[in-house]
Amino acid sequence: MTEQTKVTTLEKVVVRFSGDSGDGMQLTGTIFSNLSAIFGNEISTFPDYPAEVRAPQGTLSGVSGFQVHLGSRKIFTPGDKADVLVAMNPAALKVNVKHLKPNAIVLIDTDSFKKTDLEKAQFTTDDSFQELGLTQVQVVAAPISTMVKDGLVDFGLDNKSALRCKNMFALGLVCWLFERPLEEAMHMLQTKFAKKPVIAQANIKALTDGYNYGHNIHASVSTYRIESKKAEPGTYMDVNGNKATSYGLIAAAEKAGLRLFLGSYPITPATDILHELSKRKDLGVITVQAEDEIAGVCTAIGASFAGCLAATSTSGPGLALKSEAIGLAVIAEVPLVVIDVQRGGPSTGMPTKSEQTDLMQALYGRNGECPAVVVAASTPTDCFDMAFWAGKLAVEHMTPVILLTDAFIANGSSAWRLPELDKYPSITPNYVSNYHSDKPWKPYRRDKDTFVRYWAIPGTEGFTHRLGGLEKDYDTSAISTDPLNHQKMVQTRQAKIDKIADFIPDLEVVGDEDADLLIVGWGGTYGHLYEAMEDMQETGKKVALAHFRFINPLPKNTEEVLKRYKKVVVAEQNNGQFANYLRSKIDDFNPYKFNRIKGQPFIVARLVEEFTKIWEA
């Protein structure tokens, strides 16, 4: 062809891969994300897959998606709408039409747009694009299935196995669209299918064919160039929140000089933490896949008593089941990290969708006065730091720490520079060797400043002891039902948690110092709230953001910060749990609230619209 490709240079772009659950869209999106990270782009991803094990092929309920936002500057969210959509069938097109920008590029497999396919997706005409009102998009229509089968005829694959490679043809097309060289993608495929070399080569052939097809039709659509960002020197990887959480726990154990133990029961979307840590026997990690949630946390409590940094991972339903055992860890005062990867509820709810609805359960979901530390991660990469902090606070203050993440950041990923562990703070357990007093040691003897009891590891000569779930005497550590003693122990356990405020960072505010509106958030909504703030600032509005990672106890300067602004809006993916919690902690604090519980991330444009109304009020 003699026409030249039209190349558009952008700061950022959103790509969405979509098809049946069996079409390999998660793998396709992951490889493209890794390529972009290697190329030097900032990325943020959002895997969006159905809860059904496998819905009927070609139906609306079976559509699986993977969205990636990449750019040459800092990327905070997976993006609201897509510049490029890969739709492997009519159902994928129909489900994702609301996610398309005007003039977006849509790549389709025409072999999957036959009459029967259109009927499965509930189209009433033969022209799906016209029926959906998609008259302004740029369409790249290719008989992908046919070309893949023809291209792999020499590999001796059956029809089904050959068609499984069509996602790589689509990836090749997208790599051409973004001027991505294929060498790294080929290497990833060779690694993934190392034990199946024929499958690896077939996928590489389909990838190459897709790239070449795009090159041959290059005049029909514009291609995109996303400049690389000059990054801080170091080793980078594409990491999701669950993997970062796993690494953060390992780092905390290393800093504390302890072995890491995870007792867990598989549950969506937290299972990958168990999977990842089970691979790390080389780092001394011990994992137990227990028979249920209660056994998982109880094995962790036993490991903690034995002297490990012990953790258990779960989601909302599992946190409910673990509540009694967490209470045991509170009254026994042993270190324990409980990771709750929040998902849609109540009950089984929506296992693959994301919410922030477990906050009250984490704070108060146990019998009796049972205070525990609660922290929350804000991004996939921040899961590393907050898992490290959870381990540090648990070990140094002899308490359970509940780390809240959510399905959005647990499954989503970002480019991550591997941290230098020597730059992280030390973790110093309050061992019984620190005990110096004329009084004989007892299990509940505690530091007079921090109220932290001294940790005697079983086997330490002269420090034989028992712990349990019954109340103990403050002085003798024997079982006690004395009313005054119980009052004192309840107050002491609470004071120990309150005192932790002296050991955590102050709440930080970003944005305009003289802001007319302060946006407040916590957990995995950080990127959307930050981007909403930036969008408002670009229109001349003075806005700031305070995002909480430490929730119980709150940072010491919380009240001073929140009362500094005339208008405060608390945005969260529940019915106002954090807003109500702040009101209970701060007198005369009555913020605006923005609440959405749809199982999907916030839409930045919607945040800007609602926050602007509050700013103008």
Side-chain angles (χ1 to χ4, degrees), residues 380-410:
T381 57
D382 187 50
C383 286
F384 177 91
D385 285 353
M386 294 317 295
F388 183 92
W389 266 105
K392 177 178 173 65
L393 295 177
V395 167
E396 292 187 340
H397 297 273
M398 298 295 284
T399 180
V401 177
I402 300 174
L403 168 60
L404 296 174
T405 70
D406 57 55
F408 170 63
I409 59 173

Side-chain angles (χ1 to χ4, degrees), residues 245-254 257-263 273 276-278 280-281 283-288 303 307-312 337 339 387 391:
T245 298
S246 304
Y247 294 166
L249 291 174
I250 293 171
E254 177 74 18
L258 302 172
R259 292 195 72 175
L260 176 62
F261 177 95
L262 180 81
I273 297 171
E276 186 62 34
L277 288 177
S278 67
R280 302 273 44 121
K281 294 182 179 65
L283 297 176
V285 179
I286 306 167
T287 56
V288 170
C308 290
L309 170 54
T312 186
V337 177
I339 302 141

Side-chain angles (χ1 to χ4, degrees), residues 2 36 100 110 123 150 211 226 233 253-254 277 334 362 412 457-458 485 547 576 589:
T2 58
S36 298
L100 284 175
T110 54
F123 283 98
D150 292 346
Y211 187 92
I226 306 295
E254 177 74 18
L277 288 177
V334 294
I457 305 300
N485 177 75
H547 203 81
F589 179 63

Side-chain angles (χ1 to χ4, degrees), residues 9-11 35-42 70-73 178-180 225-231:
T9 301
L10 298 174
E11 271 197 338
L35 285 176
S36 298
I38 291 169
F39 193 70
N41 295 137
E42 289 284 338
L70 58 140
S72 57
R73 62 181 179 85
F178 288 92
E179 301 182 336
R180 293 288 187 264
R225 177 178 292 122
I226 306 295
E227 298 297 340
S228 302
K229 177 187 175 186
K230 187 175 181 180

Side-chain angles (χ1 to χ4, degrees), residues 118-352:
L118 293 167
E119 289 173 351
K120 285 181 185 178
Q122 301 175 20
F123 283 98
T124 58
T125 68
D126 292 336
D127 191 339
S128 55
F129 283 83
Q130 188 68 36
E131 188 171 331
L132 294 172
L134 293 174
T135 57
Q136 302 298 317
V137 297
Q138 305 176 67
V139 181
V140 178
I144 294 176
S145 296
T146 299
M147 287 191 288
V148 167
K149 287 189 291 184
D150 292 346
L152 301 181
V153 69
D154 295 333
F155 284 79
L157 300 175
D158 59 59
N159 191 55
K160 186 176 181 180
S161 297
L163 284 176
R164 283 178 178 163
C165 300
K166 65 182 182 179
N167 62 325
M168 289 299 105
F169 188 100
L171 177 60
L173 259 174
V174 176
C175 285
W176 161 77
L177 195 64
F178 288 92
E179 301 182 336
R180 293 288 187 264
L182 299 184
E183 287 76 12
E184 287 294 340
M186 293 177 180
H187 176 70
M188 293 175 196
L189 290 169
Q190 287 172 336
T191 301
K192 180 173 179 60
F193 297 109
K195 296 181 180 179
K196 299 178 180 179
V198 174
I199 298 298
Q201 290 306 311
N203 276 282
I204 289 171
K205 176 67 163 55
L207 176 76
T208 307
D209 288 349
Y211 187 92
N212 291 336
Y213 180 83
H215 181 72
N216 290 334
I217 55 99
H218 66 281
S220 62
V221 295
S222 59
T223 62
Y224 294 123
R225 177 178 292 122
I226 306 295
E227 298 297 340
S228 302
K229 177 187 175 186
K230 187 175 181 180
E232 180 184 356
T235 302
Y236 286 80
M237 65 181 291
D238 178 27
V239 71
N240 65 33
N242 277 340
K243 185 173 286 190
T245 298
S246 304
Y247 294 166
L249 291 174
I250 293 171
E254 177 74 18
K255 274 286 189 177
L258 302 172
R259 292 195 72 175
L260 176 62
F261 177 95
L262 180 81
S264 186
Y265 180 73
I267 182 172
T268 301
T271 306
D272 285 343
I273 297 171
L274 174 61
H275 290 167
E276 186 62 34
L277 288 177
S278 67
K279 303 173 187 175
R280 302 273 44 121
K281 294 182 179 65
D282 57 326
L283 297 176
V285 179
I286 306 167
T287 56
V288 170
Q289 181 175 321
E291 64 269 28
D292 55 41
E293 294 283 5
I294 298 170
V297 66
C298 287
T299 59
I301 291 172
S304 177
F305 179 72
C308 290
L309 170 54
T312 186
S313 54
T314 189
S315 191
L319 185 63
L321 290 167
K322 295 178 191 290
S323 61
E324 183 180 2
I326 296 172
L328 170 61
V330 169
I331 198 168
E333 298 190 53
V334 294
L336 175 69
V337 177
V338 182
I339 302 141
D340 175 13
V341 186
Q342 299 168 96
R343 73 188 207 186
S347 187
T348 313
M350 299 191 297
T352 63

Side-chain angles (χ1 to χ4, degrees), residues 319 326 330 336-340 342 356 358-366 370-377 386 389-390 393-394 399-405 494 497-498 500 504 522-523 548-555 577-578 581:
L319 185 63
I326 296 172
V330 169
L336 175 69
V337 177
V338 182
I339 302 141
D340 175 13
Q342 299 168 96
Q356 292 184 299
D358 293 346
L359 179 59
M360 288 297 105
Q361 183 180 202
L363 288 166
Y364 304 120
R366 297 165 295 280
C370 193
V373 178
V374 179
V375 298
M386 294 317 295
W389 266 105
L393 295 177
T399 180
V401 177
I402 300 174
L403 168 60
L404 296 174
T405 70
Q494 184 62 59
I497 301 302
D498 293 341
I500 292 173
I504 60 175
W522 66 276
F548 285 80
R549 300 156 76 220
F550 298 89
I551 294 174
N552 189 42
L554 291 165
Q577 294 182 22
F578 189 55
Y581 173 66

Side-chain angles (χ1 to χ4, degrees), residues 65-97:
F66 188 104
Q67 185 160 304
V68 56
H69 191 183
L70 58 140
S72 57
R73 62 181 179 85
K74 186 66 178 176
I75 298 294
F76 295 99
T77 74
D80 286 355
K81 295 191 175 184
D83 298 278
V84 177
L85 171 67
V86 176
M88 299 300 286
N89 59 26
L93 179 66
K94 193 170 194 176
V95 166
N96 289 290
V97 66

